[in-house]
Each structure stands twice: as C-alpha cells, then as structure tokens.
Amino acid sequence: MELRYLYVGSSDTGRDVEAWLLAPGARLRWRFQHFGADVAAIDLGTRPTVLLADHRPTGSVLPIYAVDDLDDVIAALAERGWTVEAQGFGTPEGPAAVLRDPSGTEIALLRVDRPMAMEAAYASTDNTHAVR
C-alpha cells in the first residue's frame, strides 16, 4: 500500500487552492468543476498529493492508498475486522473502495489503472471542466 492522496474537505476550493499554493514548492496539478463538485490536486513535491474537494465534509481528511490488488486487500482487511463502506465505484484512475476500521476511521483504497488520467484531461484544451 502506498499513500497516494489526502482527500481534504473544503468549504471553498478556490480559496483553499490559493492557500495551499503558498506552501514552498507547491504547484497545481489540476482542477476541475464538474458534476457539481470543485476538486483540485496540489502537488507538494512528494506524495501524498492533496486533493481539495468541496463535496467532502469541511475539515475531513480521507487517506487514499494505492494497492496492486484491490480485491485481495479488501478481503484481507475485512477478515481482520474492517467494514467495507463502499466498493465497486470508479475513479478516473481506476476502481476504488472505502473501508472503516473498528474505531470508525475511514480509508480509501485505489487500484491505479490510469495513473495520469487527470493530468491528461487537464492538459486537453478541449476539456471545458478544467479550471485554469
């Protein structure tokens, strides 16, 4: 498992993008407004990338771990007392799941099939959802 993203809830993605870009070496990887959501990726120079999202609860942080075999990791954690909260949903990079440990802490697992999907979409001049 590799910590790939921190999915951070925001009440104002634009304002928070500007704040995060003040961090030394920070850069905007991409930002999209689509399906009623405003989501931006901030690269701080090393993993994890921060995903600011106005559809997540403000102040929440959901760690997203990349795994090679999503089904095997879900099964292994479920056997050890984790609860599968959501499974079988897709992301631009690949399939994902959300699990909760016995104390109630949530994590997401992601199988990365398309590692540069969002960057490619952001680079496309035809993408009307990209915020530049």
Side-chain angles (χ1 to χ4, degrees), residues 9-19 31 38 52-54 58:
S10 171
S11 62
D12 183 332
T13 303
R15 178 200 62 217
D16 291 343
V17 164
E18 294 304 317
R31 182 176 175 195
D38 189 356
L52 301 171
D54 68 353
T58 301

Side-chain angles (χ1 to χ4, degrees), residues 35-60:
F35 298 119
D38 189 356
V39 182
I42 307 295
D43 185 339
L44 299 173
T46 154
R47 290 203 198 263
T49 298
V50 173
L51 301 178
L52 301 171
D54 68 353
H55 63 276
R56 295 271 316 145
T58 301
S60 68

